[in-house]
Amino acid sequence: MEEFELPVTYKGKDLLFNVRLATFTYGYKFYVEIEDNEVVFERDDEGNLRAIVPETTSGTVIEKGLIEAIIEVFSNSL
C-alpha cells in the first residue's frame, strides 16, 4: 500500500491527512485517517467518489463539509 499526506483547506484552516492507497484489479480505495477514524473513499457505480464513514463510538462526528472538501481535493488531483 502506498502512503502519502493529503493537504486540505477547510473553514480557512490548512489540514493534513494521512492517506493509504490500496489498488485492486477493478480500481482503488483511499483510506484516510480523520479524527481517529478511518474513512474509505472509493468510486461509486456512476464513477463519482463517495465516502464510507464508520459509525463512531467516541462521540466524534465527522462534518459532511470536511468529507466534501476531501473529495474535492481527490477529484482535482485524479
Side-chain angles (χ1 to χ4, degrees):
M1 247 188 240
E2 182 180 339
E3 295 185 21
F4 60 94
E5 293 181 329
L6 182 73
V8 177
T9 301
Y10 178 64
K11 290 188 174 180
K13 294 181 183 177
D14 292 328
L15 306 171
L16 197 60
F17 296 99
N18 293 320
V19 180
R20 292 182 300 124
L21 170 63
T23 56
F24 304 94
T25 304
Y26 59 88
Y28 52 88
K29 293 182 181 183
F30 296 104
Y31 296 84
V32 182
E33 185 73 26
I34 304 173
E35 299 176 9
D36 296 324
N37 293 293
E38 187 172 67
V39 178
V40 179
F41 292 83
E42 64 182 11
R43 296 260 178 219
D44 62 16
D45 292 338
E46 296 175 357
N48 300 313
L49 278 175
R50 67 176 171 198
I52 301 171
V53 181
E55 291 186 32
T56 59
T57 56
S58 64
T60 303
V61 177
I62 300 171
E63 294 181 29
K64 182 180 178 183
L66 178 56
I67 297 290
E68 291 169 348
I70 293 170
I71 288 174
E72 184 177 334
V73 171
F74 278 136
S75 295
N76 291 337
S77 299
L78 299 177

Coordinates of all heavy atoms in Angstrom, one line a residue:
M1 N 0.8 -1.2 0.0 CA 0.0 0.0 0.0 C 0.9 1.2 0.0 O 1.8 1.3 0.7 CB -0.9 0.0 1.2 CG -2.3 -0.2 1.0 SD -3.4 0.1 2.4 CE -4.1 -1.6 2.5
E2 N 0.5 2.2 -0.8 CA 1.2 3.4 -0.9 C 0.7 4.4 0.1 O -0.6 4.4 0.3 CB 1.1 4.0 -2.3 CG 1.8 5.3 -2.5 CD 1.6 5.9 -3.9 OE1 1.3 5.1 -4.8 OE2 1.8 7.1 -4.0
E3 N 1.5 5.2 0.8 CA 1.1 6.1 1.8 C 1.5 7.5 1.4 O 2.6 7.7 0.9 CB 1.6 5.8 3.2 CG 1.0 4.4 3.7 CD 1.5 4.1 5.1 OE1 1.8 5.1 5.8 OE2 1.4 3.0 5.5
F4 N 0.7 8.5 1.7 CA 1.1 9.9 1.4 C 0.2 10.8 2.3 O -0.7 10.4 3.0 CB 0.9 10.3 -0.1 CG -0.5 10.1 -0.6 CD1 -1.4 11.2 -0.6 CD2 -0.9 8.8 -1.1 CE1 -2.7 11.0 -1.1 CE2 -2.2 8.7 -1.6 CZ -3.1 9.8 -1.6
E5 N 0.5 12.1 2.3 CA -0.2 13.1 3.0 C -1.1 13.9 2.1 O -0.6 14.3 1.0 CB 0.7 14.0 3.9 CG 1.4 13.2 5.0 CD 2.3 14.1 5.8 OE1 2.9 15.1 5.3 OE2 2.5 13.8 7.0
L6 N -2.3 14.2 2.5 CA -3.2 15.0 1.7 C -3.5 16.3 2.3 O -4.1 16.4 3.4 CB -4.5 14.2 1.5 CG -5.6 14.9 0.6 CD1 -5.1 14.8 -0.8 CD2 -6.9 14.2 0.8
P7 N -3.1 17.4 1.7 CA -3.4 18.8 2.3 C -4.8 19.2 1.8 O -5.2 19.1 0.7 CB -2.3 19.7 1.6 CG -2.0 19.0 0.4 CD -2.2 17.5 0.6
V8 N -5.6 19.7 2.8 CA -7.0 20.1 2.5 C -7.2 21.4 3.3 O -6.8 21.5 4.4 CB -8.0 19.0 3.0 CG1 -9.4 19.5 2.9 CG2 -7.8 17.7 2.3
T9 N -7.8 22.4 2.6 CA -8.2 23.6 3.3 C -9.7 23.5 3.6 O -10.5 23.3 2.7 CB -7.9 24.8 2.4 OG1 -6.5 24.9 2.1 CG2 -8.3 26.1 3.1
Y10 N -10.0 23.7 4.8 CA -11.4 23.6 5.3 C -11.7 24.6 6.3 O -11.0 24.7 7.3 CB -11.7 22.2 5.8 CG -13.1 22.0 6.3 CD1 -14.2 22.1 5.4 CD2 -13.4 21.7 7.6 CE1 -15.5 21.9 5.8 CE2 -14.7 21.5 8.1 CZ -15.7 21.6 7.2 OH -17.0 21.5 7.6
K11 N -12.7 25.4 6.1 CA -13.1 26.5 7.0 C -11.9 27.4 7.4 O -11.7 27.8 8.5 CB -13.7 25.9 8.3 CG -15.0 25.3 8.2 CD -15.6 24.9 9.5 CE -17.0 24.4 9.3 NZ -17.6 24.1 10.6
G12 N -11.1 27.7 6.3 CA -10.0 28.6 6.5 C -8.8 28.0 7.1 O -7.8 28.7 7.4
K13 N -8.8 26.7 7.4 CA -7.7 26.1 8.1 C -7.0 25.1 7.1 O -7.7 24.4 6.3 CB -8.1 25.3 9.3 CG -8.7 26.1 10.4 CD -9.0 25.2 11.6 CE -9.6 26.1 12.7 NZ -10.1 25.2 13.9
D14 N -5.7 25.1 7.2 CA -4.9 24.1 6.4 C -4.8 22.8 7.2 O -4.2 22.9 8.3 CB -3.6 24.7 6.0 CG -3.7 25.8 5.0 OD1 -4.6 25.8 4.2 OD2 -2.9 26.7 5.0
L15 N -5.3 21.7 6.7 CA -5.3 20.5 7.4 C -4.4 19.5 6.6 O -4.3 19.6 5.4 CB -6.7 19.9 7.6 CG -7.7 20.8 8.2 CD1 -9.1 20.3 8.1 CD2 -7.3 21.1 9.7
L16 N -3.9 18.5 7.3 CA -3.1 17.5 6.6 C -3.5 16.1 7.1 O -3.6 15.8 8.3 CB -1.6 17.7 6.9 CG -0.6 17.0 6.1 CD1 -0.7 17.5 4.6 CD2 0.8 17.3 6.6
F17 N -3.9 15.2 6.1 CA -4.4 13.9 6.5 C -3.5 12.8 6.0 O -3.0 12.9 4.8 CB -5.8 13.7 5.9 CG -6.8 14.7 6.4 CD1 -7.2 15.8 5.7 CD2 -7.4 14.4 7.7 CE1 -8.1 16.7 6.3 CE2 -8.4 15.3 8.2 CZ -8.7 16.4 7.5
N18 N -3.3 11.8 6.7 CA -2.6 10.6 6.3 C -3.5 9.7 5.5 O -4.6 9.5 5.9 CB -2.1 9.8 7.5 CG -1.0 10.6 8.3 OD1 -0.2 11.2 7.7 ND2 -1.1 10.5 9.6
V19 N -3.0 9.3 4.3 CA -3.8 8.5 3.4 C -3.0 7.3 3.0 O -1.8 7.3 2.8 CB -4.1 9.3 2.1 CG1 -4.9 8.5 1.1 CG2 -4.8 10.6 2.4
R20 N -3.7 6.2 2.9 CA -3.2 4.9 2.3 C -4.0 4.6 1.1 O -5.2 4.7 1.1 CB -3.3 3.8 3.3 CG -2.5 3.9 4.6 CD -2.6 2.8 5.5 NE -3.9 2.6 6.0 CZ -4.7 1.5 5.9 NH1 -4.2 0.4 5.3 NH2 -5.9 1.4 6.4
L21 N -3.3 4.3 0.0 CA -3.9 4.0 -1.3 C -3.8 2.5 -1.5 O -2.7 1.9 -1.5 CB -3.2 4.7 -2.4 CG -3.6 4.3 -3.8 CD1 -5.0 4.6 -4.1 CD2 -2.7 5.0 -4.8
A22 N -4.9 1.8 -1.7 CA -4.9 0.4 -2.0 C -5.5 0.3 -3.4 O -6.5 0.8 -3.7 CB -5.9 -0.3 -1.0
T23 N -4.7 -0.4 -4.2 CA -5.1 -0.6 -5.6 C -5.6 -2.1 -5.8 O -5.1 -3.0 -5.2 CB -4.0 -0.3 -6.6 OG1 -2.9 -1.1 -6.3 CG2 -3.6 1.1 -6.6
F24 N -6.6 -2.2 -6.6 CA -7.2 -3.5 -6.9 C -7.3 -3.7 -8.4 O -7.1 -2.7 -9.1 CB -8.6 -3.6 -6.2 CG -8.6 -3.4 -4.8 CD1 -8.9 -2.1 -4.3 CD2 -8.4 -4.4 -3.9 CE1 -8.9 -1.9 -2.9 CE2 -8.4 -4.2 -2.5 CZ -8.6 -2.9 -2.0
T25 N -7.7 -4.9 -8.8 CA -7.8 -5.1 -10.2 C -8.9 -4.2 -10.8 O -8.7 -3.7 -11.9 CB -8.2 -6.6 -10.5 OG1 -7.3 -7.4 -9.9 CG2 -8.4 -6.9 -11.9
Y26 N -9.9 -4.0 -10.1 CA -11.1 -3.2 -10.6 C -11.0 -1.7 -10.2 O -11.8 -0.9 -10.7 CB -12.4 -3.8 -10.1 CG -12.5 -3.8 -8.6 CD1 -13.0 -2.7 -7.9 CD2 -12.0 -4.9 -7.8 CE1 -13.0 -2.7 -6.5 CE2 -12.1 -4.9 -6.5 CZ -12.6 -3.8 -5.8 OH -12.6 -3.8 -4.4
G27 N -10.0 -1.3 -9.4 CA -10.0 0.1 -9.1 C -9.1 0.4 -7.9 O -8.1 -0.3 -7.7
Y28 N -9.4 1.3 -7.1 CA -8.6 1.7 -5.9 C -9.5 2.3 -4.8 O -10.6 2.7 -5.0 CB -7.6 2.7 -6.3 CG -8.2 3.9 -7.0 CD1 -8.6 5.0 -6.3 CD2 -8.3 3.9 -8.4 CE1 -9.2 6.1 -7.0 CE2 -8.8 5.0 -9.1 CZ -9.3 6.1 -8.4 OH -9.9 7.2 -9.0
K29 N -8.9 2.3 -3.6 CA -9.6 2.9 -2.5 C -8.6 3.8 -1.7 O -7.4 3.4 -1.6 CB -10.2 1.9 -1.5 CG -11.3 1.1 -2.1 CD -11.8 0.1 -1.1 CE -13.0 -0.7 -1.7 NZ -13.6 -1.6 -0.7
F30 N -9.0 4.9 -1.2 CA -8.2 5.7 -0.3 C -8.7 5.5 1.1 O -9.9 5.7 1.4 CB -8.3 7.2 -0.7 CG -7.8 7.5 -2.1 CD1 -8.7 7.8 -3.1 CD2 -6.5 7.7 -2.3 CE1 -8.3 8.1 -4.4 CE2 -6.0 8.0 -3.6 CZ -6.9 8.2 -4.6
Y31 N -7.8 5.2 2.0 CA -8.1 5.1 3.4 C -7.5 6.4 4.1 O -6.3 6.5 4.1 CB -7.5 3.9 4.0 CG -8.1 2.6 3.4 CD1 -7.6 2.1 2.2 CD2 -9.1 1.9 4.0 CE1 -8.1 0.9 1.7 CE2 -9.7 0.8 3.5 CZ -9.1 0.3 2.3 OH -9.7 -0.9 1.8
V32 N -8.4 7.2 4.6 CA -8.0 8.5 5.2 C -8.3 8.5 6.7 O -9.4 8.2 7.1 CB -8.7 9.7 4.5 CG1 -8.3 11.0 5.1 CG2 -8.5 9.6 3.0
E33 N -7.3 8.9 7.5 CA -7.4 9.0 8.9 C -8.0 10.4 9.3 O -7.3 11.4 9.0 CB -6.1 8.8 9.6 CG -6.1 8.8 11.1 CD -6.7 7.5 11.7 OE1 -6.7 6.4 11.0 OE2 -7.2 7.5 12.8
I34 N -9.2 10.4 9.8 CA -9.9 11.7 10.1 C -10.4 11.6 11.6 O -11.2 10.7 11.9 CB -11.1 12.0 9.2 CG1 -10.7 12.0 7.7 CG2 -11.7 13.3 9.6 CD1 -11.8 12.1 6.8
E35 N -9.8 12.4 12.4 CA -10.2 12.5 13.8 C -10.3 11.1 14.4 O -11.3 10.7 15.0 CB -11.6 13.2 13.9 CG -11.5 14.6 13.5 CD -12.8 15.3 13.5 OE1 -13.8 14.8 14.0 OE2 -12.9 16.4 12.9
D36 N -9.2 10.3 14.3 CA -9.1 8.9 14.9 C -10.1 7.9 14.3 O -10.4 6.9 14.9 CB -9.2 9.0 16.4 CG -8.1 9.7 17.1 OD1 -7.0 9.7 16.6 OD2 -8.4 10.4 18.1
N37 N -10.6 8.2 13.1 CA -11.5 7.3 12.4 C -10.9 7.1 11.0 O -10.4 8.0 10.4 CB -12.9 7.9 12.3 CG -13.6 8.0 13.6 OD1 -13.9 7.0 14.2 ND2 -13.8 9.2 14.0
E38 N -11.0 5.9 10.5 CA -10.6 5.6 9.1 C -11.8 5.7 8.2 O -12.7 4.9 8.3 CB -9.9 4.3 9.0 CG -9.3 4.0 7.7 CD -8.5 2.8 7.7 OE1 -9.1 1.7 7.8 OE2 -7.2 2.9 7.5
V39 N -11.7 6.6 7.2 CA -12.8 6.8 6.3 C -12.3 6.3 4.9 O -11.2 6.6 4.5 CB -13.2 8.3 6.2 CG1 -14.3 8.5 5.1 CG2 -13.7 8.8 7.5
V40 N -13.1 5.5 4.3 CA -12.7 5.0 3.0 C -13.4 5.8 1.9 O -14.6 6.0 1.9 CB -13.2 3.5 2.9 CG1 -12.8 2.9 1.5 CG2 -12.6 2.7 4.0
F41 N -12.6 6.2 0.9 CA -13.1 6.9 -0.3 C -12.9 6.0 -1.5 O -11.8 5.5 -1.7 CB -12.3 8.2 -0.5 CG -12.6 9.2 0.6 CD1 -11.9 9.2 1.8 CD2 -13.5 10.2 0.4 CE1 -12.1 10.1 2.8 CE2 -13.7 11.2 1.3 CZ -13.0 11.1 2.5
E42 N -14.0 5.8 -2.3 CA -14.0 4.9 -3.4 C -14.9 5.4 -4.5 O -15.8 6.3 -4.2 CB -14.3 3.5 -3.0 CG -15.7 3.3 -2.5 CD -16.1 1.9 -2.1 OE1 -15.2 1.1 -1.9 OE2 -17.3 1.7 -1.8
R43 N -14.8 4.9 -5.7 CA -15.7 5.3 -6.7 C -17.0 4.5 -6.6 O -17.1 3.3 -6.3 CB -15.1 4.9 -8.1 CG -13.9 5.7 -8.4 CD -14.2 6.9 -9.3 NE -13.0 7.6 -9.6 CZ -13.0 8.9 -9.6 NH1 -14.1 9.6 -9.5 NH2 -11.8 9.6 -9.9
D44 N -18.2 5.2 -6.8 CA -19.5 4.5 -6.8 C -19.8 4.0 -8.2 O -18.9 4.1 -9.1 CB -20.6 5.4 -6.3 CG -20.8 6.7 -7.1 OD1 -20.3 6.7 -8.3 OD2 -21.4 7.6 -6.6
D45 N -20.9 3.5 -8.5 CA -21.3 2.9 -9.8 C -21.3 3.9 -10.9 O -21.2 3.6 -12.0 CB -22.7 2.2 -9.7 CG -22.6 1.0 -8.8 OD1 -21.5 0.4 -8.6 OD2 -23.7 0.5 -8.3
E46 N -21.5 5.2 -10.5 CA -21.5 6.3 -11.5 C -20.2 6.9 -11.8 O -20.0 7.8 -12.6 CB -22.5 7.3 -11.1 CG -24.0 6.8 -11.0 CD -24.9 7.9 -10.5 OE1 -24.5 9.0 -10.1 OE2 -26.1 7.6 -10.5
G47 N -19.2 6.4 -11.0 CA -17.8 6.9 -11.2 C -17.5 8.1 -10.3 O -16.4 8.6 -10.4
N48 N -18.4 8.5 -9.4 CA -18.1 9.6 -8.5 C -17.5 9.0 -7.2 O -17.7 7.9 -6.9 CB -19.4 10.3 -8.2 CG -20.1 10.9 -9.4 OD1 -19.4 11.5 -10.2 ND2 -21.4 10.6 -9.5
L49 N -16.7 9.9 -6.6 CA -16.1 9.4 -5.3 C -17.2 9.5 -4.2 O -18.0 10.4 -4.1 CB -14.9 10.3 -4.9 CG -13.6 10.0 -5.6 CD1 -12.6 11.0 -5.2 CD2 -13.1 8.6 -5.2
R50 N -17.2 8.5 -3.3 CA -18.0 8.5 -2.2 C -17.2 8.2 -1.0 O -16.1 7.6 -1.1 CB -19.2 7.5 -2.3 CG -18.7 6.1 -2.4 CD -19.8 5.1 -2.4 NE -19.3 3.8 -2.7 CZ -20.0 2.8 -3.1 NH1 -21.3 3.0 -3.4 NH2 -19.5 1.6 -3.3
A51 N -17.7 8.5 0.2 CA -17.0 8.2 1.5 C -17.8 7.2 2.2 O -19.1 7.3 2.3 CB -16.9 9.5 2.3
I52 N -17.1 6.2 2.8 CA -17.8 5.3 3.7 C -17.2 5.6 5.1 O -16.1 5.4 5.4 CB -17.4 3.8 3.3 CG1 -17.9 3.6 1.9 CG2 -18.0 2.9 4.3 CD1 -17.4 2.3 1.3
V53 N -18.1 6.2 5.9 CA -17.8 6.7 7.2 C -18.2 5.7 8.3 O -19.3 5.3 8.3 CB -18.4 8.0 7.5 CG1 -18.1 8.6 8.9 CG2 -18.1 9.0 6.4
P54 N -17.3 5.2 9.1 CA -17.6 4.2 10.1 C -18.5 4.9 11.2 O -18.5 6.1 11.4 CB -16.3 3.8 10.7 CG -15.4 5.0 10.5 CD -15.9 5.6 9.2
E55 N -19.3 4.1 11.8 CA -20.1 4.5 13.0 C -19.1 4.8 14.1 O -18.2 3.9 14.4 CB -21.1 3.5 13.4 CG -22.2 3.3 12.4 CD -23.3 2.4 13.0 OE1 -23.5 2.4 14.2 OE2 -23.9 1.7 12.2
T56 N -19.2 5.9 14.7 CA -18.2 6.2 15.8 C -18.8 6.0 17.1 O -20.0 6.3 17.4 CB -17.7 7.7 15.7 OG1 -18.9 8.6 15.8 CG2 -17.0 8.0 14.3
T57 N -18.0 5.5 18.0 CA -18.4 5.3 19.4 C -17.8 6.3 20.3 O -18.2 6.5 21.5 CB -18.0 3.9 19.9 OG1 -16.6 3.7 19.7 CG2 -18.8 2.8 19.1
S58 N -16.8 7.1 19.8 CA -16.1 8.1 20.6 C -16.9 9.4 20.7 O -16.4 10.3 21.4 CB -14.7 8.3 20.0 OG -14.9 8.9 18.7
G59 N -18.0 9.5 20.0 CA -18.8 10.7 20.1 C -18.3 11.8 19.1 O -18.9 12.8 19.0
T60 N -17.2 11.5 18.4 CA -16.7 12.4 17.4 C -17.5 12.3 16.1 O -17.7 11.2 15.6 CB -15.2 12.1 17.1 OG1 -14.5 12.2 18.3 CG2 -14.7 13.1 16.1
V61 N -18.1 13.4 15.6 CA -18.8 13.4 14.4 C -18.0 14.1 13.3 O -17.5 15.2 13.5 CB -20.2 14.1 14.5 CG1 -20.9 14.2 13.2 CG2 -21.0 13.4 15.6
I62 N -17.8 13.4 12.2 CA -17.1 14.0 11.1 C -18.0 14.8 10.3 O -19.1 14.4 9.8 CB -16.4 12.9 10.2 CG1 -15.5 12.0 11.1 CG2 -15.7 13.5 9.0 CD1 -15.0 10.8 10.4
E63 N -17.7 16.1 10.1 CA -18.6 17.0 9.4 C -18.7 16.7 7.9 O -17.7 16.3 7.2 CB -18.0 18.4 9.5 CG -18.1 19.0 10.9 CD -17.6 20.4 11.0 OE1 -17.7 21.2 10.0 OE2 -17.1 20.7 12.1
K64 N -19.9 16.8 7.4 CA -20.1 16.5 6.0 C -19.3 17.4 5.1 O -18.8 17.0 4.0 CB -21.6 16.6 5.7 CG -22.0 16.3 4.2 CD -23.4 16.5 4.0 CE -23.8 16.2 2.5 NZ -25.2 16.4 2.2
G65 N -19.2 18.6 5.4 CA -18.4 19.6 4.7 C -16.9 19.2 4.6 O -16.3 19.4 3.5
L66 N -16.4 18.6 5.6 CA -15.0 18.2 5.6 C -14.8 17.0 4.6 O -13.9 17.0 3.8 CB -14.5 17.7 7.0 CG -13.1 17.2 7.1 CD1 -12.1 18.2 6.5 CD2 -12.8 16.8 8.5
I67 N -15.8 16.1 4.6 CA -15.8 15.0 3.7 C -15.8 15.5 2.2 O -15.1 15.1 1.3 CB -17.0 14.0 3.9 CG1 -16.9 13.4 5.3 CG2 -17.1 13.0 2.8 CD1 -15.7 12.4 5.4
E68 N -16.7 16.5 2.0 CA -16.8 17.1 0.7 C -15.6 17.8 0.2 O -15.2 17.7 -0.9 CB -18.0 18.1 0.6 CG -19.4 17.4 0.8 CD -20.5 18.3 1.0 OE1 -20.3 19.5 1.3 OE2 -21.7 17.8 0.9
A69 N -14.9 18.4 1.2 CA -13.6 19.1 0.9 C -12.5 18.1 0.5 O -11.8 18.4 -0.5 CB -13.2 20.0 2.1
I70 N -12.5 17.0 1.1 CA -11.5 15.9 0.8 C -11.8 15.4 -0.5 O -10.9 15.2 -1.4 CB -11.5 14.9 1.9 CG1 -11.0 15.4 3.2 CG2 -10.7 13.6 1.5 CD1 -11.1 14.5 4.4
I71 N -13.1 15.1 -0.8 CA -13.5 14.6 -2.1 C -13.1 15.5 -3.2 O -12.6 15.2 -4.3 CB -15.0 14.2 -2.2 CG1 -15.3 13.0 -1.4 CG2 -15.5 14.1 -3.6 CD1 -16.7 12.6 -1.2
E72 N -13.3 16.8 -3.0 CA -12.9 17.8 -4.0 C -11.4 17.8 -4.3 O -11.0 17.9 -5.4 CB -13.3 19.2 -3.5 CG -13.1 20.3 -4.5 CD -13.5 21.7 -4.1 OE1 -14.5 21.7 -3.3 OE2 -13.0 22.7 -4.5
V73 N -10.6 17.7 -3.2 CA -9.1 17.6 -3.4 C -8.8 16.4 -4.2 O -8.0 16.4 -5.2 CB -8.4 17.6 -2.1 CG1 -6.9 17.3 -2.3 CG2 -8.6 19.0 -1.4
F74 N -9.4 15.2 -3.9 CA -9.1 14.0 -4.7 C -9.5 14.2 -6.1 O -8.8 13.8 -7.0 CB -9.8 12.8 -4.1 CG -9.1 12.2 -2.9 CD1 -9.9 11.8 -1.8 CD2 -7.8 11.9 -2.9 CE1 -9.3 11.2 -0.7 CE2 -7.2 11.3 -1.8 CZ -7.9 10.9 -0.7
S75 N -10.7 14.7 -6.3 CA -11.3 14.9 -7.7 C -10.4 15.8 -8.5 O -10.2 15.6 -9.7 CB -12.7 15.4 -7.6 OG -13.5 14.5 -7.0
N76 N -9.8 16.8 -7.9 CA -9.0 17.8 -8.7 C -7.6 17.1 -8.9 O -6.9 17.6 -9.8 CB -8.8 19.1 -7.9 CG -10.1 19.9 -7.9 OD1 -10.9 19.7 -8.7 ND2 -10.2 20.7 -6.9
S77 N -7.2 16.1 -8.2 CA -5.9 15.5 -8.3 C -5.9 14.3 -9.3 O -4.9 13.9 -9.8 CB -5.4 15.0 -7.0 OG -5.3 16.1 -6.1
L78 N -7.1 13.7 -9.5 CA -7.2 12.5 -10.3 C -7.3 12.8 -11.8 O -7.9 13.6 -12.3 CB -8.3 11.6 -9.8 CG -8.2 11.2 -8.4 CD1 -9.5 10.4 -8.0 CD2 -7.0 10.3 -8.2

